[in-house]
Amino acid sequence: TSTFAEYMGELTICLSAKMQPFLLESDDSPDAAYHNVRASQDDDMRPRLKSRPSIPFDQPIQVIQRTTSRMRREPSISLWRTIHAIASTSWTNLLLFALPFAIISYYCEWSATATFTLNFLVMIPLAGLLGFATEQISVRAGDTLGGLLNASFGNATELILSIAALNKGLLNVVQASLLGSILSNLLFVLGFCFFLGGLKFREQKFSAQGAQTQGSLLALSVLSLLVPAAFVSVFEDKADPTEGLIGLSEATSAILLLTYVCSLVFQLKTHAYMFEDEKGDDEEEEEAEIGLWSAIVLLLLVTVVVALCAEMLVDALETTARTWHLSETFIGLILLPIVGNAAEHFTAVTMARKDKMNIALGVAIGSSIQIALFVCPLLVLVGAAMGQHLTLFFHAFQTALLFISVLIVNYIIVDGSSNWLEGVMLLNSYAIIAVAFFYYPDQLAN
């Protein structure tokens, strides 16, 4: 609105400067009147014009067109169009037909393998709908806030899964799920963004300053895990570090939460320009497919269903791991994060294919930062209130993998550009880690 008002003011000044010589009532000749007016304008009008930035003549018209096009999109969208838009988001919505069978398998006490498999499949379209709903809300919220909303509600699945497992005392599963979500977003999701985006565009640019800021926040999250590991190693077998470790984890969690709040202020308020994509004058604005309130209702409904499926999924986790001869660590570190991050994966790759890399990085890397600086510390404090003392102490093997992953990502994004080869490197790094955790025994994780 302020930019539109500035353009209209500029038009008014320019038009008055051009038309005033021909509208003056004077007895002098037209040439004399014109020169008299131009002389007066040199003292009055020209300083005002010089103090303003030069604006192309067609920019005010473009602002009017963008404003009126937004006004035309505001009328309500019909119910049929809303249902059609939701149903046609992805072919994976066909898996929603397994939802009744997933609920029946749990309450009718079918085999744990059937319950786990059905709920695992249902979580895929639910995560996609979660991302679709938040993306529709973000159409009216801007790029930066839109990426944050997609990451936040995409992580709602992970948060619900972790709280359900924490309530049952599966602390190693919670830790594995948190670490797996960070690694999958950093390597798997970001790798697919660079790879699929690089197949369409030879080289993609993004804000190097914003990427470096996100990389620094990731380094801080690694520090919060290295300190407890070093703290425990000092004790060796001479004393029990449990009490001190719990206090250290809770204090560190409070500091991390404060850091995350500061990062939000930095990203959304004081330095928002560092995380925005530059838009061309001829670029059309994205249109919403469903109404605002429809998106909010869809978001709430999907979140409730995700919570129900998450509860059933965690219940069947231990039995399924023994049936498939898979470790709980592998399921929590590899399988569950892939399902839980499906929303971020879909949104980030879509933005990368549209060459909106700042939004893609905000979803992929921003989701990892949110888990490391918000979800993980929050679960530590929630666990303390529930009597389940979750700590920030991870096994040295897991901490080392996270450290190396953050190091690789920082090396790749430091130049502010990406290509398909960098995506391949990230995906291969994730594949190596997945194979390592496939052979990682639960006894070491415990």
Side-chain angles (χ1 to χ4, degrees):
T1 305
S2 60
T3 306
F4 177 74
E6 181 181 355
Y7 287 153
M8 294 305 298
E10 186 73 22
L11 277 178
T12 303
I13 294 174
C14 292
L15 290 175
S16 62
K18 295 295 184 182
M19 298 299 297
Q20 189 174 2
F22 304 99
L23 298 178
L24 288 176
E25 295 181 359
S26 175
D27 295 333
D28 299 331
S29 63
D31 291 339
Y34 175 77
H35 289 295
N36 290 336
V37 173
R38 290 298 303 268
S40 64
Q41 288 177 348
D42 288 340
D43 299 330
D44 183 27
M45 281 301 213
R46 286 188 177 182
R48 295 172 62 186
L49 292 174
K50 289 182 179 181
S51 63
R52 295 175 177 266
S54 59
I55 300 177
F57 178 77
D58 61 340
Q59 280 196 16
I61 300 176
Q62 294 170 1
V63 172
I64 296 173
Q65 291 174 345
R66 289 198 295 266
T67 304
T68 53
S69 65
R70 178 178 293 273
M71 293 172 62
R72 287 194 297 267
R73 293 200 310 269
E74 290 301 326
S76 61
I77 300 175
S78 64
L79 178 61
W80 167 248
R81 182 181 172 186
T82 299
I83 296 175
H84 180 268
I86 295 173
S88 60
T89 53
S90 174
W91 64 268
T92 58
N93 289 339
L94 295 175
L95 295 176
L96 289 175
F97 288 105
L99 179 59
F101 300 99
I103 299 175
I104 294 174
S105 68
Y106 178 75
Y107 288 102
C108 293
E109 298 182 355
W110 290 4
S111 66
T113 303
T115 302
F116 182 87
T117 304
L118 289 172
N119 284 278
F120 190 93
L121 293 176
V122 170
M123 291 288 283
I124 297 176
L126 289 177
L129 290 176
L130 196 66
F132 172 75
T134 54
E135 188 177 8
Q136 292 302 304
I137 297 175
S138 68
V139 170
R140 299 175 176 84
D143 293 346
T144 304
L145 187 57
L148 179 62
L149 284 175
N150 277 280
S152 300
F153 287 102
N155 285 332
T157 305
E158 176 63 28
L159 183 60
I160 294 170
L161 286 170
S162 299
I163 292 178
L166 187 63
N167 188 41
K168 298 180 181 299
L170 302 176
L171 302 183
N172 61 317
V173 174
V174 174
Q175 286 189 327
S177 179
L178 292 174
L179 181 62
S181 295
I182 297 175
L183 292 176
S184 65
N185 278 289
L186 283 181
L187 302 178
F188 188 70
V189 177
L190 188 61
F192 263 112
C193 288
F194 287 173
F195 177 69
L196 296 180
L199 293 180
K200 186 176 181 180
F201 302 95
R202 185 170 185 177
E203 186 179 33
Q204 295 181 285
K205 299 289 186 179
F206 49 85
S207 173
Q209 289 181 318
Q212 291 172 4
T213 301
Q214 293 175 324
S216 300
L217 291 173
L218 287 173
L220 176 62
S221 66
V222 173
L223 174 66
S224 67
L225 301 183
L226 288 175
V227 171
F231 178 83
V232 172
S233 65
V234 173
F235 283 83
E236 296 180 350
D237 296 331
K238 299 177 181 178
D240 185 12
T242 303
E243 183 177 355
L245 181 61
I246 292 175
L248 174 62
S249 299
E250 293 177 357
T252 303
S253 298
I255 296 173
L256 292 179
L257 288 175
L258 177 61
T259 303
Y260 182 70
V261 173
C262 293
S263 69
L264 290 182
V265 176
F266 183 86
Q267 183 177 355
L268 299 177
K269 184 68 176 178
T270 61
H271 292 72
Y273 66 93
M274 293 173 53
F275 304 89
E276 292 285 348
D277 278 313
E278 295 183 0
K279 296 182 178 180
D281 295 334
D282 57 347
E283 183 178 346
E284 296 183 0
E285 294 186 2
E286 185 178 1
E287 293 188 7
E289 299 182 43
I290 61 176
L292 177 60
W293 287 107
S294 300
I296 294 175
V297 172
L298 176 63
L299 183 64
L300 294 177
L301 290 177
V302 172
T303 303
V304 171
V305 179
V306 166
L308 176 62
C309 293
E311 179 72 18
M312 297 184 290
L313 192 63
V314 171
D315 282 342
L317 179 60
E318 292 185 359
T319 306
T320 303
R322 290 192 294 267
T323 303
W324 289 358
H325 303 289
L326 298 176
S327 65
E328 293 180 2
T329 305
F330 178 79
I331 294 179
L333 241 164
I334 304 300
L335 298 183
L336 292 183
I338 291 177
V339 176
N341 295 326
E344 296 93 70
H345 192 182
F346 178 79
T347 304
V349 171
T350 301
M351 294 298 104
R353 295 285 294 178
K354 295 180 179 179
D355 200 24
K356 298 180 179 180
M357 292 305 296
N358 281 328
I359 305 179
L361 263 67
V363 175
I365 300 181
S367 180
S368 296
I369 294 174
Q370 189 177 76
I371 293 175
L373 300 182
F374 177 74
V375 176
C376 188
L378 181 63
L379 287 174
V380 170
L381 300 180
V382 170
M386 297 169 56
Q388 301 287 350
H389 293 290
L390 181 68
T391 66
L392 296 177
F393 172 65
F394 287 76
H395 195 272
F397 177 68
Q398 299 173 348
T399 306
L401 289 180
L402 178 61
F403 174 77
I404 296 173
S405 300
V406 171
L407 189 64
I408 293 174
V409 171
N410 278 332
Y411 274 133
I412 288 179
I413 67 176
V414 69
D415 60 346
S417 63
S418 65
N419 52 65
W420 67 266
L421 180 59
E422 293 177 343
V424 170
M425 290 188 288
L426 292 177
L427 291 174
N428 289 341
S429 301
Y430 187 74
I432 294 173
I433 292 176
V435 173
F437 278 111
F438 180 81
Y439 294 102
Y440 192 77
D442 286 332
Q443 291 80 1
L444 294 179
N446 294 330

